[in-house]
Amino acid sequence: MRIVSLLPAATDLVAVLGKASDLVGRTHECDWPAEVASVPVVTAADLGSDTLTSREISTAVGSSHQGSSLYSVDVGQLAALAPDLVLTQDLCEVCAVSYTRVAAAVRMLDAGPRVLSLEPRTLDEVLGCLTTLGDALDVPDVAAARVAELRSRLATVGRRIAGLPRPRVVALEWLDPLWPAGHWVPEQISTAGGAPLLAEPGEHTKPMTWDAVLAARPDVLLLLPCGFSPDRTETELDVLTSLPGWTGLPAVRNDRVWLLDGPASFNRPGPRVVRGAEILATVLHGLPADPPVSPAEARRI
């Protein structure tokens, strides 16, 4: 089967199912596993987000986090690749190419491939995408095995943190404006032995005030901006550290502010969200992970 993935998380899912060799097209943001680097890129960013600050990006896309898509699809190249299956999403137009835009592009092709939109909001739904995609790729047994393995890893984390005190946790997926991490992230925090604040499981969140963070008084503050590498996030830390009351936060006073690799383990609804829960068990409780958590995955600031 010839697959074009227009969603980084979908590329992750295809790889976990052992079908990476079937990928004939990907987005410019698909960066895992390393072998997909040789797959042709069929999208481009319409906004020069690599050089803009968080505030400038937010202004460009609008304040609703549902602004017009930031990405364009090369319809000519898509046609030339002749895919049988195109994977996309309609959860957030800021995060990836939208289903609406992909459907419009596919209508321009002579032969219409199947378009499969993945819309998970919770951990269960993320794992459910493996089942859905496994059926689409005719590898249901592989999908079932991968789901069982991932559930086993989550259960292992749950057993290891059982009975431990649960620190109060605020996770931020954007710094300017401040945006609490919703969808599956609160469940990652709960699984790892924390008490998530300011967002509910499955919630599509909205911007919040700094006063909301101050009032929450988190014991732990997690910084995992959507689409930002940890190094890039670090360049904008003054957005937070310059705010009034920063030094009074319990998380700051107790040296429990963490910079995490959001795209790898938290922002994308793919199989690596399980690794995110394992990372958080180390962050919140000092429990060792296998493999050990690297500074590239999580580090104190």
Side-chain angles (χ1 to χ4, degrees):
M1 182 176 293
R2 297 175 63 81
I3 306 168
V4 169
S5 174
L6 300 180
L7 178 66
T11 300
D12 292 7
L13 293 166
V14 169
V16 165
L17 291 172
K19 289 292 186 176
S21 61
D22 288 354
L23 285 166
V24 298
R26 64 177 175 95
T27 78
H28 59 286
E29 293 187 329
C30 295
D31 54 10
W32 188 89
E35 66 216 58
V36 305
S38 62
V39 176
V41 173
V42 298
T43 65
D46 291 340
L47 180 69
S49 56
D50 287 345
T51 60
L52 300 181
T53 66
S54 297
R55 172 58 64 176
E56 289 169 337
I57 293 171
S58 296
T59 299
V61 303
S63 61
S64 68
H65 205 48
Q66 296 174 347
S68 60
S69 180
L70 306 181
Y71 310 102
S72 58
V73 180
D74 186 332
V75 178
Q77 187 178 23
L78 185 62
L81 293 172
D84 303 304
L85 177 66
V86 177
L87 302 175
T88 185
Q89 59 88 47
D90 211 25
L91 187 63
C92 177
E93 291 191 339
V94 175
C95 301
V97 186
S98 72
Y99 175 82
T100 301
R101 181 164 290 204
V102 172
V106 167
R107 282 195 297 270
M108 299 173 67
L109 306 184
D110 292 332
R114 178 185 177 187
V115 178
L116 179 59
S117 184
L118 304 174
E119 313 291 339
R121 291 176 180 266
T122 66
L123 280 181
D124 267 347
E125 290 174 2
V126 171
L127 298 182
C129 285
L130 267 174
T131 302
T132 299
L133 192 53
D135 290 341
L137 300 182
D138 199 27
V139 287
D141 292 344
V142 175
R146 298 293 87 77
V147 169
E149 291 167 4
L150 293 170
R151 289 195 184 280
S152 176
R153 287 168 59 186
L154 289 172
T156 296
V157 173
R159 287 193 298 271
R160 296 181 70 203
I161 59 88
L164 296 177
R166 290 183 170 263
R168 294 159 49 84
V169 182
V170 166
L172 299 179
E173 70 173 17
W174 204 248
L175 303 186
D176 192 11
L178 291 170
W179 215 298
H183 295 145
W184 47 86
V185 175
E187 291 176 282
Q188 289 177 293
I189 294 169
S190 295
T191 298
L197 307 174
L198 304 179
E200 297 295 325
E203 181 183 358
H204 192 76
T205 57
K206 59 185 179 180
M208 65 181 179
T209 65
W210 175 239
D211 284 345
V213 179
L214 292 177
R217 296 185 57 78
D219 302 307
V220 181
L221 183 61
L222 308 176
L223 310 182
L224 38 93
C226 188
F228 276 24
S229 69
D231 288 343
R232 183 173 179 189
T233 302
E234 196 161 21
T235 67
E236 293 196 30
L237 288 180
D238 63 317
V239 170
L240 288 180
T241 60
S242 63
L243 290 170
W246 167 260
T247 56
L249 281 178
V252 175
R253 291 201 314 266
N254 297 318
D255 194 26
R256 301 195 73 184
V257 181
W258 288 83
L259 182 61
L260 305 174
D261 188 342
S265 304
F266 300 97
N267 306 152
R268 299 174 180 175
R272 290 187 291 168
V273 296
V274 172
R275 176 62 176 174
E278 294 168 340
I279 290 168
L280 290 183
T282 296
V283 166
L284 300 181
H285 296 290
L287 299 178
D290 184 18
V293 176
S294 71
E297 292 178 302
R299 60 181 184 259
R300 296 179 194 267
I301 63 167

